[in-house]
Amino acid sequence: MRPLKTLQKLYDEESQVVITEKGSPPRALFYGENFLLEDLPVGTRVIFPRPPLAGVPNVKAAIRWAINHPEGMEPLHALLRPGMKLTCVIDDISVPLPPMATPDVRQTILEVVLELCADSGVDDVHLIIANALHRRMTEGEMRRMVGQKIYDAFYPDRYYNHDAEDPDGIVELERTPCGSHVVAVNRRVAESDLIVYVNVNFVPMNGGHKSMGTGVANYASLRAHHNPKTIRESKSYMEPGHSELYRRNERIGRAIDKHLKVFHIETALNNRMFGPGVDFLHKREEDYTEGDRLKFQAMRYALSKLPRAAARTVLNSIPAPYDVTGVFAGATEPTHAKTLEKSWQQYVVPVQGQSDIVIFPIPFISPYSVNSILNPLLVQVMGLGYFFNLNRGVPLVKKGGVIILTHPAFDEFDPVQHPSYIEFFNRVLPETRDAVQIEQKYEREFAENPSYVHLYRKGNAYHGVHPLYMWYWGENGRQHAGKVIVAGGENNHVPELLGWDRTDTLTEAIEEARGFMGRSASISLLRIAPTVMVDVK
C-alpha cells in the first residue's frame, strides 16, 4: 500500500483539477466588477487554486526569529550601531491584491525593526516606499500601510515615496561603457550605512533582486529589463530559471549588493483573498452549500444594480484576510530562495498537458489599478501579461492557441492615476501594436514628457512611460497566442484597438475558438482568483 502521506499528496493535487461532466455546476467567473455564472462544455478542464496554507501562529515571533537567524548575513541587531544612517525600503501598494486586512504585515515588520533600532541607538531612520515608476501612494494609503503610530512619527519628512525623477535624488552606482545597463538608485538609499528591505511576496516574481533593482531605481535603470526583447525572451515571469526579466534584474541587483549593504526581510502570504461573507469564492462550485449559492446570487444581483464606479468602490473596500506563511531574512539570494519554496508550495498545481483554448476570468483589480479603474491596457496586461505567465516555464495554452478573457473591456480611464495611458491608447495603438516599433518611436517621448513627469512627481500619476511598459508586459502572451477573444466585451473599438476579437457571451467565444482550433479542441479554465500557478507536464 502507498504510505498515507503519498495518498494525501495525490488527493491534494488531483482535487484542484476538475473535468466538466454532464450535471457539473455552472462556474462563477470574475467579469470585471461583477461575475458570470457559466455552464462550460463537457470535457473542459477547470483548474482551481490550492486551499490557503496555514499561517504562522505568531507573526512577530516569526519576524524576530528570522532577523536573528538570517540567511548569509549577521543578525540584524549585530549590524546596528549608534549614529548610523539606516533606511527601510518598503514594497508599495501594488501588492498584495486586494490590499490585506490591517495590520498590514509591513507595519508589523517595521514595528519590530524600529523597536530594535531604538534599543540600539539608531535614530537616523527613513522609510521609503519602493514605488519605482508607479504612482505615489496617498497619505491615507501610507497611513493604512504602517499604522497611525509609525505614520505620526515619520511622515512626511522621514516617510515618503521614492521619486525616480528627482534630479538631485538619484545616485548612479555603475554604468556599462555603452550605457545599456545603468545601475542608479535613490540617493538616501545609496548614502545609507544599512538598508532594510521590507517585502511582501505575493507571487514568485516579487522579491529577491527585483526589490532593490526595480523599486528604488530610475528610468535609465529600468530600461535594461522593461523592454520588448527581455519580455519576449522570458518564458515565464514567475519561474527564475525561465525568465530573462529575472536574469537582468539579477545583474542589476548583484551590482547594488556589491555597493550597498542590504538586509532583506521577505514574507510569504497564503492565498486567502476572501473573508467572511464572500469566502465561498475560495470553493469549487461542487462544494457550494445552499447558503453559498444564495450569497453569490445576492452579491451578483447587488453589483449589477450599482453604477460601475460604486461597484468598484465596494469591491476595493473589502480587505483580504491573508495569513503570513513564512518570514525569511538576510542576504538577497538565499533569502529569496526560501521565499520561493513557500510561494510555490501555496500556488503551484501540477497539470497534464497544454490546452488549445484557455479561459482567464479578469477581476476588477490589478497591481496598477488599486483604488482606481482597470482600463483596457490593464485588462491586456492582466490577461496576456500576468495570467498567461502563471506557469513554471510551459504556458497552459498551446502555441498558436486561443486565449479567452471575460471582461466588459470598457473604454474608461482614470485621468488622475493614468493620464499617459489615455494618450497611448488613443494615439499610439491606432498607428501600431508592434512593441518594438512603439519602443523605438515613442518611448523617449512619453518618458521625458514634462507634463507627465510633473504629474508623477507632484500628483498620484503613473510615470509617463508606464503604459508602454504595460504593453510590453503582454508581449510574450501576444506572440504566443494565435487569437485572443474578449467574452462579454461591451463595445467593438476597445478589442479592435487591442487586436482582439469580441463576443457577447462566453459560449459564443468558445464556439469561435473551436472554429479556429477545431471542434475537438481541448479547453481549460484557470479559476483566478485566488492566485494559482500551473506546472504543466
Side-chain angles (χ1 to χ4, degrees):
M1 294 181 63
R2 290 176 178 169
L4 183 61
K5 286 184 178 179
T6 302
L7 288 172
Q8 182 64 46
K9 179 174 183 291
L10 288 170
Y11 174 78
D12 288 345
E13 290 178 355
E14 292 169 2
S15 66
Q16 308 315 313
V17 180
V18 174
I19 305 301
T20 303
E21 301 173 344
K22 287 183 179 179
S24 291
R27 303 299 171 187
L29 310 180
F30 267 104
Y31 174 67
E33 287 81 2
N34 210 321
F35 293 84
L36 300 176
L37 190 61
E38 296 284 344
D39 284 305
L40 299 177
V42 171
T44 299
R45 179 174 58 177
V46 185
I47 302 163
F48 290 91
R50 286 186 176 280
L53 295 174
V56 298
N58 186 318
V59 177
K60 280 199 170 181
I63 294 166
R64 291 191 178 102
W65 195 95
I67 64 177
N68 285 321
H69 302 83
E71 308 290 331
M73 292 184 77
E74 295 177 274
L76 182 58
H77 66 81
L79 301 175
L80 302 176
R81 64 179 188 276
M84 76 183 308
K85 183 182 287 189
L86 184 143
T87 299
C88 293
V89 181
I90 314 162
D91 273 348
D92 75 347
I93 200 172
S94 62
V95 290
L97 300 174
M100 68 191 305
T102 56
D104 192 296
V105 69
R106 284 161 286 208
Q107 172 185 335
T108 309
I109 293 172
L110 288 169
E111 287 171 351
V112 173
V113 170
L114 294 175
E115 181 181 351
L116 187 59
C117 288
D119 292 343
S120 303
V122 179
D123 51 18
D124 185 357
V125 180
H126 282 213
L127 314 179
I128 300 179
I129 297 169
N131 52 288
L133 303 184
H134 296 177
R135 68 171 175 89
R136 298 190 318 146
M137 288 175 60
T138 66
E139 292 178 24
E141 291 166 344
M142 293 171 70
R143 182 187 297 109
R144 186 184 187 280
M145 180 183 283
V146 302
Q148 191 69 48
K149 184 178 178 181
I150 293 175
Y151 179 85
D152 289 343
F154 285 85
Y155 183 85
D157 297 332
R158 296 188 298 146
Y159 176 35
Y160 47 89
N161 293 279
H162 167 62
D163 184 351
E165 288 289 348
D166 182 357
D168 300 317
I170 299 293
V171 172
E172 193 172 294
L173 302 178
E174 282 188 12
R175 174 187 288 262
T176 56
C178 63
S180 60
H181 276 338
V182 177
V183 182
V185 297
N186 181 283
R187 179 173 293 279
R188 165 72 196 195
V189 169
E191 294 175 352
S192 295
D193 299 301
L194 178 66
I195 300 108
V196 175
Y197 197 101
V198 179
N199 157 266
V200 178
N201 212 82
F202 184 56
V203 291
M205 189 179 72
N206 304 140
H209 286 297
K210 182 176 180 288
S211 293
M212 290 287 290
T214 295
V216 288
N218 66 351
Y219 168 63
S221 280
L222 294 176
R223 288 182 63 214
H225 42 79
H226 281 52
N227 58 67
K229 184 176 186 297
T230 300
I231 298 304
R232 287 181 180 181
E233 293 174 2
S234 297
K235 293 182 180 179
S236 172
Y237 305 155
M238 306 298 168
E239 174 63 62
H242 294 280
S243 174
E244 181 63 18
L245 181 68
Y246 184 91
R247 285 188 286 272
R248 295 195 182 202
N249 261 305
E250 186 177 58
R251 286 197 289 270
I252 289 174
R254 285 176 175 172
I256 291 172
D257 284 349
K258 184 171 67 177
H259 291 275
L260 306 175
K261 195 170 191 68
V262 186
F263 187 94
H264 289 263
I265 304 175
E266 294 198 350
T267 59
L269 304 180
N270 66 10
N271 62 354
R272 196 183 301 280
M273 286 186 175
F274 306 112
V278 291
D279 55 355
F280 58 89
L281 292 173
H282 281 285
K283 299 181 181 179
R284 301 183 307 173
E285 287 82 1
E286 286 85 352
D287 300 329
Y288 277 20
T289 64
E290 189 59 34
D292 292 332
R293 283 187 282 273
L294 289 172
K295 284 191 287 187
F296 173 76
Q297 292 291 4
M299 178 180 66
R300 190 175 173 219
Y301 177 80
L303 290 172
S304 72
K305 296 303 179 183
L306 289 173
R308 184 176 286 143
R312 189 178 298 132
T313 300
V314 169
L315 291 167
N316 273 303
S317 67
I318 303 174
Y322 300 107
D323 297 308
V324 176
T325 58
V327 184
F328 310 98
T332 310
E333 293 181 18
T335 299
H336 192 53
K338 295 276 188 179
T339 311
L340 283 176
E341 288 178 19
K342 185 62 70 173
S343 187
W344 285 323
Q345 185 183 350
Q346 173 63 88
Y347 297 131
V348 171
V349 173
V351 298
Q352 294 297 322
Q354 296 174 298
S355 291
D356 300 299
I357 303 164
V358 173
I359 304 166
F360 293 140
I362 306 296
F364 65 96
I365 196 170
S366 83
Y368 318 110
S369 68
V370 179
N371 299 321
S372 184
I373 299 165
L374 194 76
N375 64 53
L377 289 174
L378 296 180
V379 173
Q380 175 264 162
V381 84
M382 288 297 282
L384 303 186
Y386 284 107
F387 289 2
F388 173 79
N389 281 278
L390 285 172
N391 62 75
R392 297 198 64 175
V394 179
L396 185 59
V397 63
K398 292 178 182 177
K399 177 70 173 176
V402 179
I403 293 174
I404 299 175
L405 311 177
T406 62
H407 194 273
F410 43 73
D411 187 355
E412 192 175 344
F413 290 83
D414 183 341
V416 174
Q417 290 198 20
H418 304 120
S420 61
Y421 280 61
I422 300 170
E423 181 183 359
F424 178 86
F425 185 72
N426 291 287
R427 175 186 163 209
V428 177
L429 288 185
E431 180 181 322
T432 179
R433 291 191 292 268
D434 187 297
V436 175
Q437 286 186 25
I438 290 171
E439 178 190 29
Q440 294 170 350
K441 185 173 181 180
Y442 291 107
E443 184 175 305
R444 285 284 188 178
E445 177 191 339
F446 275 75
E448 297 172 0
N449 183 306
S451 296
Y452 294 147
V453 170
H454 175 78
L455 292 170
Y456 162 80
R457 297 194 65 198
K458 304 302 181 183
N460 296 102
Y462 282 82
H463 195 278
V465 80
H466 204 261
L468 284 77
Y469 286 175
M470 293 299 93
W471 191 251
Y472 305 162
W473 220 245
E475 185 66 9
N476 58 359
R478 200 159 36 246
Q479 295 291 320
H480 184 89
K483 183 188 286 284
V484 179
I485 306 171
V486 59
E490 65 181 27
N491 62 72
N492 290 317
H493 70 275
V494 167
E496 185 179 347
L497 275 179
L498 296 172
W500 302 346
D501 290 357
R502 70 159 294 280
T503 60
D504 291 327
T505 67
L506 179 58
T507 300
E508 292 172 352
I510 291 171
E511 284 302 304
E512 181 181 332
R514 280 175 157 173
F516 184 76
M517 296 300 296
R519 301 305 301 173
S520 61
S522 56
I523 306 173
S524 284
L525 163 68
L526 197 62
R527 256 290 302 273
I528 311 166
T531 306
V532 56
M533 283 179 58
V534 292
D535 188 3
V536 181
K537 304 300 184 184

